Amino acid sequence: MEKKEMTNDASFGVGYLKKLFKNYDMNHSWCFKDIKGNYFGMSKNSLKRIFENADLYLDLEWACWEEGSEKVPVKAFFDGEPGWFQIKLHNMLEKGNLLLAYDYYFTDGLNIGKPENIIPTAGIDWQKTLAPVLLMNDNSTQIPPTKDAPFTTVMSWQAHKEVSYLNQVYGQKDKEFEKFMELPSITNQSLEIAVRGTKTPVKLLNSNGWKIKKASEISFTLKGYHDYLAASKGELCIAKNVFVATKSGWFGERAGYYMQKGRPVISQETGFSQHIPCGEGLLAFENIDQAVNSIESVVSNYEHHSKKAKEIVGDYFDAEKVLNKMLNVIGI
């Protein structure tokens, strides 16, 4: 029986992965190792051969799979939590801990390493990249949303613990949301968040006009997740405090999937507007008045913003383009 609870029994997840990867002709191109050391998908020997013949090992979880990967000639790491992760590494070094060694380090914090940026680099030369988006042909890219469709987002109230750097404490979306709590009351558009987190103040959000969905139900399947994005008028994204306060330049792949479906994105400024064109299809805001103006701009000329959103994701986030740029940096 499905209870939507964390467990050491991997059978449900493994079954889902089999169905998912089959859709992408990847029946024998994945591997999962459970807590007991059992291998699913590829066998241990098959995975060993993959590592022995690979040119590149790309790690998304800071050595999530050490066994065998040490044989790969080039190792790269990708960071998707800019500011938060670099501060974490800096604090590790301050405590005398050694950091894992990679040949290349990538981050979607587009401003990290700039002279004016406060984020510590932990002595690492961070290569900048946008998050790749797999461009898909589906019916949602051709069908406009209904007139009463809400602006939505999928989020965690507190994805990580706070981190401290130079006597400053950096938090998550819970901290930034305080600035925009009254937003639904000053716009005539419906605003909805699919959120997870035990500390989410549901009553407070509801009393201010926010509609609430459970993120666990929205993202339970990949299809359900994409259907939710497609049923939205666009994304209204309030970013994590650490992204905003450090001006990291973060811009996530979820926004790319909204735009890929022709859904304009209105996102809290983190410094990304220095790197991605904003104003049409993608709009950045720093305060509640700018958020309201952005919503009104999108609604008043929706077809134009929808078209521009699809152009932006194709020009900047296409997975093939983004990954080829990363490989060019590495020299593969």
Side-chain angles (χ1 to χ4, degrees), residues 77 86 89 102-107 112-114 120-128 329:
F77 171 75
Q86 284 72 24
L89 294 184
Y102 295 84
D103 299 294
Y104 296 89
Y105 300 80
F106 292 89
T107 179
I112 292 177
K114 287 188 173 183
T121 64
I124 292 171
D125 180 18
W126 292 97
Q127 302 294 321
K128 317 308 184 303
V329 170

Side-chain angles (χ1 to χ4, degrees), residues 19-32:
K19 295 177 183 178
L20 176 64
F21 288 123
K22 186 177 181 180
N23 293 333
Y24 297 93
D25 295 324
M26 295 176 62
N27 307 53
H28 306 291
S29 301
W30 65 278
C31 184
F32 174 76

Side-chain angles (χ1 to χ4, degrees), residues 191-240:
L191 305 182
E192 179 176 287
I193 58 173
V195 59
R196 71 167 185 166
T198 56
K199 296 183 179 180
T200 305
V202 175
K203 290 184 178 179
L204 178 61
L205 289 162
N206 284 152
S207 67
N208 279 278
W210 292 93
K211 295 182 178 180
I212 308 294
K213 291 284 182 69
K214 292 183 178 180
S216 59
E217 295 179 356
I218 297 301
S219 59
F220 193 62
T221 66
L222 185 61
K223 182 180 184 302
Y225 176 78
H226 282 287
D227 286 347
Y228 183 72
L229 271 56
S232 307
K233 190 168 290 180
E235 182 180 32
L236 177 72
C237 174
I238 294 173
K240 296 176 183 178

Side-chain angles (χ1 to χ4, degrees), residues 151 188-189 233 294-303 305:
F151 284 90
N188 60 4
Q189 294 297 308
K233 190 168 290 180
S294 295
I295 292 170
E296 293 176 350
S297 174
V298 167
V299 173
S300 66
N301 196 0
Y302 190 83
E303 186 176 342
H305 283 284

Side-chain angles (χ1 to χ4, degrees), residues 43 70 102 106 111 120 163 242 253 320:
S43 67
E70 71 277 1
Y102 295 84
F106 292 89
N111 290 329
V163 289
V242 66
E253 79 285 346
E320 185 174 350

Side-chain angles (χ1 to χ4, degrees), residues 279-295:
E280 298 175 300
L282 170 61
L283 298 87
F285 65 89
E286 296 186 67
N287 54 55
I288 198 166
D289 290 334
Q290 290 178 1
V292 172
N293 292 337
S294 295
I295 292 170

Side-chain angles (χ1 to χ4, degrees), residues 36 62 70 75 152 168 171 210 219 250 316:
K36 298 178 181 179
W62 199 248
E70 71 277 1
K75 302 175 189 65
T152 69
Q168 177 70 39
W210 292 93
S219 59
W250 169 87
Y316 287 84

